[in-house]
């Protein structure tokens, strides 16, 4: 049994399979062809933080594959009343086939997985957001082909998305140019990358974008850090993705944002709503890659 707790949990070969499978599943979805490979399977979704995309994509995806879903939050379950996470894992995993969790510390999802009888998927923690980067790379491949050898510019917070991009670059053979304000750098020990050759650090966000094939960012204040909002607004003021940064990127560079976005903060409206932006494909692709992911965790490689 495998879990998907961070991007580096899978090999490059497994990602090759998942991207191909997601393309097939997407094609069947677009042509209204049934894909009921998870008939009668049940997904438990546990949310300790808010969500739109993650909830809709996992819930719709499981139903579209013939399964069903149980939705739990901290407020409406015993998780919010201090039942030990290990006990919750033992109970929930005896009644369902697969579990998706969005929570705070990575250690919480690791503790859950250690006591689960079924696969566990990270739907976002403070440290990682592997399902999002899975969708992002699938989106890049759809628009531009293989990401191997390409350059991704990360502009903004050294957060869970940045950590996950670093792991992906390490595994799939591309480079990430990281530019964050001082004090918000990526912590290589948290990202857990094997070597520094897959990323370069830039103090100037414009320089980080020069020649990049993809420019991407995220909100300045991630969920769980709201108390730092005013300080972050000042610290991040120069880390807004602008049309000038996109012009410095490679010809045909894409723009991505995992959403939700704040126009006028981390990205200008003419970038996110402009011709280089693929944010709506990126959001939709959460559905297709996560269907491939759940199927792989439950059934292994098919065909
Ligand atoms: N990108 C993302 O995870 O979106 P939600 O927070 O809406 O799930």
């Amino acid at each position: 049994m495998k879990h998907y707790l961070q991007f580096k949990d899978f090999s490059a070969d497994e990602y090759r399979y998942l991207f191909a499978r997601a393309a097939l599943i997407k094609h069947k979805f677009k042509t209204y062809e049934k894909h009921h490979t998870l008939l009668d399977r049940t997904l438990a979704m546990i949310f300790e933080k808010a969500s739109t995309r993650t909830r809709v994509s996992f819930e719709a995806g499981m139903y579209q594959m013939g399964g069903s879903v149980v939705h739990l939050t901290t407020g409406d379950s015993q998780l919010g009343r201090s039942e030990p996470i290990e006990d919750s894992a033992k109970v929930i995993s005896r009644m369902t086939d697969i579990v998706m969790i969005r929570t705070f510390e990575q250690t919480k999802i690791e503790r859950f997985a250690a006591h689960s009888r079924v696969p566990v998927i990270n739907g976002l923690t403070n440290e990682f957001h592997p399902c999002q980067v899975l969708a992002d790379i699938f989106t890049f491949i759809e628009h531009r082909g293989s990401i191997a050898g390409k350059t991704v510019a990360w502009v903004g917070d050294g957060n869970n998305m940045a950590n996950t991009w670093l792991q992906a670059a390490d595994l799939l053979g591309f480079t990430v140019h990281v530019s964050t304000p001082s004090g918000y750098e990526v912590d290589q020990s948290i990202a857990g990358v094997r070597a520094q050759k897959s990323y370069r650090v830039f103090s100037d966000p414009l320089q980080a974008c020069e020649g990049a094939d993809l420019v991407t960012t995220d909100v300045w204040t991630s969920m769980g850090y709201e108390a730092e909002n005013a300080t972050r607004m000042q610290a991040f003021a120069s880390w807004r993705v602008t049309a000038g940064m996109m012009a410095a990127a490679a010809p045909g560079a894409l723009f991505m944002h995992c959403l939700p976005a704040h126009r006028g903060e981390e990205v200008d409206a003419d970038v996110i709503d402009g011709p280089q932006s693929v944010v709506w494909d990126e959001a939709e692709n959460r559905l297709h890659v996560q269907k491939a992911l759940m199927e792989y965790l439950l059934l292994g490689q098919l065909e």
Side-chain angles (χ1 to χ4, degrees):
M1 183 181 73
K2 288 181 84 82
H3 301 297
Y4 191 56
L5 306 185
Q6 47 185 303
F7 200 90
K8 68 178 183 180
D9 285 347
F10 285 177
S11 67
D13 278 346
E14 287 174 302
Y15 282 112
R16 265 188 286 281
Y17 169 77
L18 279 178
F19 294 135
R21 190 73 185 169
L24 173 80
I25 289 171
K26 181 171 182 175
H27 175 74
K28 291 176 81 173
F29 175 79
K30 295 289 185 186
T31 53
Y32 299 98
E33 197 181 330
K34 275 188 184 149
H35 187 75
H36 283 180
T37 50
L38 298 185
L39 205 60
D40 296 333
R41 304 292 182 116
T42 304
L43 165 70
M45 303 192 300
I46 302 171
F47 284 97
E48 298 203 293
K49 294 177 177 176
S51 168
T52 296
R53 279 143 289 270
T54 302
R55 176 168 180 186
V56 175
S57 54
F58 270 106
E59 189 159 340
M62 196 55 171
Y63 284 124
Q64 288 163 14
M65 289 196 292
S68 58
V69 177
V70 177
H71 177 253
L72 293 166
T73 68
T74 313
D76 65 13
S77 69
Q78 301 292 4
L79 288 160
R81 298 182 64 247
S82 305
E83 181 166 15
I85 200 150
E86 292 80 3
D87 293 0
S88 300
K90 286 174 190 164
V91 172
I92 293 166
S93 69
R94 278 177 179 243
M95 300 180 185
T96 61
D97 299 286
I98 188 164
V99 180
M100 188 285 305
I101 306 178
R102 167 168 287 196
T103 187
F104 292 86
E105 299 82 14
Q106 182 74 7
T107 50
K108 285 183 88 170
I109 199 169
E110 286 169 358
R111 284 166 55 205
F112 191 104
H115 293 85
S116 172
R117 290 160 51 138
V118 302
V120 177
I121 297 171
N122 182 344
L124 181 144
T125 59
N126 290 350
E127 291 86 350
F128 301 110
H129 198 359
C131 292
Q132 183 65 58
V133 174
L134 188 63
D136 294 1
I137 295 174
F138 179 72
T139 307
F140 186 91
I141 293 167
E142 277 190 323
H143 284 268
R144 295 286 182 266
S146 172
I147 199 165
K150 298 289 198 300
T151 298
V152 175
W154 176 263
V155 175
D157 194 12
N159 64 4
N160 49 7
M161 283 293 297
N163 290 337
T164 308
W165 272 112
L166 291 195
Q167 288 195 352
D170 207 31
L171 255 165
L172 302 181
F174 61 94
T175 303
V176 184
H177 289 181
V178 181
S179 182
T180 69
S182 176
Y184 299 93
E185 294 88 354
V186 167
D187 181 339
Q188 192 179 331
S189 66
I190 293 175
V193 294
R194 291 172 301 188
Q196 203 172 339
K197 67 177 174 17
S198 55
Y199 74 98
R200 292 178 61 198
V201 175
F202 294 81
S203 53
D204 179 354
L206 183 67
Q207 280 184 354
C209 294
E210 282 174 6
D213 302 286
L214 165 64
V215 177
T216 185
T217 187
D218 193 1
V219 293
W220 289 343
T221 306
S222 293
M223 288 182 282
Y225 298 87
E226 289 80 1
E228 301 174 13
N229 197 42
T231 315
R232 284 172 172 262
M233 289 293 145
Q234 290 191 338
F236 282 78
S238 300
W239 275 265
R240 170 178 308 131
V241 178
T242 62
M245 290 183 194
M246 294 307 298
L254 300 175
F255 172 77
M256 291 190 197
H257 188 310
C258 62
L259 306 176
H262 299 109
R263 289 167 177 79
E265 292 185 16
E266 74 275 5
V267 60
D268 277 337
D270 59 350
V271 172
I272 192 167
D273 299 319
Q276 289 167 280
S277 173
V278 291
V279 297
W280 312 121
D281 290 344
E282 184 188 359
E284 179 194 322
N285 282 335
R286 292 288 301 277
L287 174 70
H288 310 303
V289 297
Q290 288 163 193
K291 285 163 84 173
L293 173 65
M294 289 191 285
E295 188 189 74
Y296 176 61
L297 288 170
L298 286 170
L299 306 177
Q301 292 199 13
L302 303 173
E303 295 167 7

